[in-house]
Amino acid sequence: MKSVDLIVPCYNESDVLDLFYKEVCSVIEKSSEYSFSFIFVNDGSRDNTLEIIENYAANDSRVKYLSFSRNFGKEAGMLAGMTYSTADYVGIIDADLQHSPELFLEMLEAVDKEGYDVAAARRTDRKGEAKIKSAFSRRFYSVINKMSDVKIEEGAQDFRVMTQKVVRAICSLPEYNRFSKGIFSWVGFRTKWFEHENRERAAGQTKWSFIKLLKYAIEGIIGFSTAPLKISFLSGMLFSVIGLLYAVYIFIDTIINGPDVAGYPSIICLIIFLGGLILVSLGIIGEYVSKIYLEVKHRPIYLIDKTNIRDDNQ
Ligand code: UDP
Ligand code: MG
C-alpha cells in the first residue's frame, strides 16, 4: 500500500482544527488504497493549537506533529513538514478547510495513476476577497512573470500533492528566504493543474494582513529576479545621457547667447529628481544586500521545540 503524508501548517487554528480533522478523516477513510498520516506543523501558535494536536496524536497513531519554538511563517512550516516526510506521496493542505479534502484525493490519484509528479491547485475565482487585494494580486503575477525566469501560475496555491522525489528536490534548495510559489515552479517536474473554487474559511481568521502580503510579494520578486537591479542601472544610464546632452546644450547656448543666471527652478527639480532616483536605486540594492546578509548567516529556517517524530528519519 502506498503511503501519503498530509502536511498541515497551523498557526492559531484552535477554532477550526476540530472541523478540519473530522472532515479530512471522514474523506481519507473512504479511500482504502493508501495509508495516510498527518504531519501537523504548529507554527508557534499562541492559542491551544498544540494541545489539540497532541490530543489527536495520543488517540490516533496516524498523527505526527512538529511544534516550532516560535512563529516562523508558513513557508518554514511547509519546509519542516516536507523535511520530516517519508511517505511515497506528500500533500500540503491548509488547516482552515479552504482546500477541499475531496479535491485532495483527486489530486492524489492524478499523481499515483496518471504519472504526474505534482498535482497542484489553482484558484479560479477570488470570491469573498477584497477587490483591492485581488487587483494587487493580479498585478503581482503579471510583474513577476515579466521579470523572472521562472513562470508562476496565476492563482497557484500551496495546496498540492507531490511525489517524494519532488519533495527531496524542494528540500535540496538551501535558501533562507523561501518563496515557495517560486521554488515549486523552479524545481519543475510534470505538473497537473486543478481548478479550485475559493472557499470561505471554516472558522478563525486569516493570518495574512495586507502588509504581510506586500512583503511576501517583494520577497518573491527579489528572490526570483534580478530585473529591479537592471532597471535601476538602465534608468541611471538614461539620466546620465540626458544630463550629458543637457550640458552640451548649455555650453553651446552660453557661447552663442552669453551666460544665463536664470534656470534656478530647473536645477532644483533636477537635483530632487535625480536624488530620488539615486535613493531608489540604493534601496533596491539594499534589498538584495539584506537578503544576501540573511543567506550568508546560515541560520536555521525553523527551530523545533517538540515533536513525536523520531529524528532518525531526518
Ligand atoms: N499559517 C502558518 N504560519 C503563519 C501563517 C499561516 O502556518 O505564520 C498557516 C495557517 O494556519 C493556515 C495556512 O497557513 O493553515 C494558510 O493561512 P491563512 O488561512 O491565514 O491564509 P489565507 O488562506 O487567508 O491566504
Ligand atoms: Mg486560509
Side-chain angles (χ1 to χ4, degrees):
M1 199 152 65
K2 297 258 172 71
S3 56
V4 181
D5 277 339
L6 200 54
I7 298 169
V8 193
C10 308
Y11 176 50
N12 296 344
E13 298 291 9
S14 59
D15 290 341
V16 77
L17 221 48
D18 273 335
L19 288 170
F20 170 84
Y21 180 64
K22 276 202 199 91
E23 184 163 339
V24 173
C25 283
S26 80
V27 171
I28 59 179
E29 273 149 25
K30 277 187 247 158
S31 158
S32 53
E33 275 180 74
Y34 308 96
S35 80
F36 288 92
S37 308
F38 289 92
I39 301 182
F40 286 100
V41 184
N42 172 40
D43 185 11
S45 300
R46 265 166 293 210
D47 58 4
N48 59 344
T49 300
L50 179 60
E51 281 93 271
I52 299 175
I53 297 171
E54 282 178 320
N55 197 22
Y56 297 154
N59 298 305
D60 182 346
S61 59
R62 296 171 304 182
V63 174
K64 299 187 254 179
Y65 70 88
L66 299 160
S67 181
F68 288 173
S69 62
R70 64 167 170 87
N71 180 249
F72 282 90
K74 186 183 176 188
E75 304 288 323
M78 292 190 292
L79 177 70
M82 285 189 277
T83 306
Y84 280 82
S85 76
T86 47
D88 300 314
Y89 302 121
V90 179
I92 302 175
I93 188 165
D94 278 4
D96 57 7
L97 285 174
Q98 279 184 307
H99 299 159
S100 124
E102 283 87 10
L103 183 64
F104 177 79
L105 279 190
E106 272 180 53
M107 287 163 45
L108 182 59
E109 303 247 306
V111 173
D112 188 30
K113 309 230 158 73
E114 294 170 35
Y116 287 94
D117 295 305
V118 182
R122 183 165 50 192
R123 189 144 63 166
T124 47
D125 65 311
R126 293 185 164 268
K127 244 188 344 229
E129 192 181 76
K131 283 238 160 51
I132 174 121
K133 200 172 157 190
S134 330
F136 264 99
S137 161
R138 232 170 267 130
R139 269 291 340 108
F140 165 70
Y141 285 108
S142 87
V143 167
I144 196 161
N145 280 326
K146 277 199 197 97
M147 282 184 165
S148 130
D149 297 335
V150 295
K151 170 141 176 44
I152 296 171
E153 289 285 325
E154 174 156 3
Q157 293 180 310
D158 299 327
F159 183 26
R160 50 180 45 235
V161 180
M162 296 160 284
T163 57
Q164 187 61 235
K165 172 176 72 182
V166 177
V167 169
R168 287 305 120 213
I170 290 168
C171 292
S172 74
L173 265 65
E175 57 228 69
Y176 180 81
N177 296 288
R178 296 188 84 82
F179 178 67
S180 291
K181 285 192 169 78
I183 292 176
F184 289 151
S185 142
W186 188 90
V187 295
F189 295 102
R190 245 164 77 83
T191 303
K192 180 168 183 179
W193 287 97
F194 285 78
E195 306 295 333
H196 185 239
E197 245 183 58
N198 208 12
R199 300 214 295 185
E200 294 277 330
R201 201 174 222 286
Q205 272 179 356
T206 175
K207 314 296 174 310
W208 291 87
S209 63
F210 188 72
I211 296 288
K212 237 178 151 182
L213 278 173
L214 193 70
K215 275 198 193 149
Y216 182 69
I218 292 174
E219 183 109 320
I221 291 173
I222 301 284
F224 279 85
S225 161
T226 48
L229 291 173
K230 282 186 201 111
I231 293 170
S232 74
F233 173 74
L234 287 177
S235 55
M237 286 286 279
L238 180 73
F239 282 97
S240 319
V241 171
I242 292 175
L244 218 67
L245 291 178
Y246 190 57
V248 172
Y249 164 75
I250 289 177
F251 183 72
I252 295 169
D253 187 54
T254 312
I255 289 174
I256 298 170
N257 300 324
D260 183 10
V261 278
Y264 177 71
S266 62
I267 287 174
I268 292 294
C269 289
L270 268 176
I271 289 175
I272 292 173
F273 180 68
L274 287 179
L277 205 70
I278 291 166
L279 286 178
V280 168
S281 303
L282 280 176
I284 292 172
I285 294 166
E287 276 294 315
Y288 283 91
V289 173
S290 71
K291 298 282 178 221
I292 296 167
Y293 179 56
L294 288 173
E295 295 290 347
V296 296
K297 282 205 242 186
H298 291 302
R299 284 191 177 162
I301 295 165
Y302 53 82
L303 290 172
I304 290 173
D305 172 34
K306 217 171 167 193
T307 175
N308 66 349
I309 304 177
R310 273 182 299 121
D311 237 0
D312 48 327
N313 58 10
Q314 222 253 300

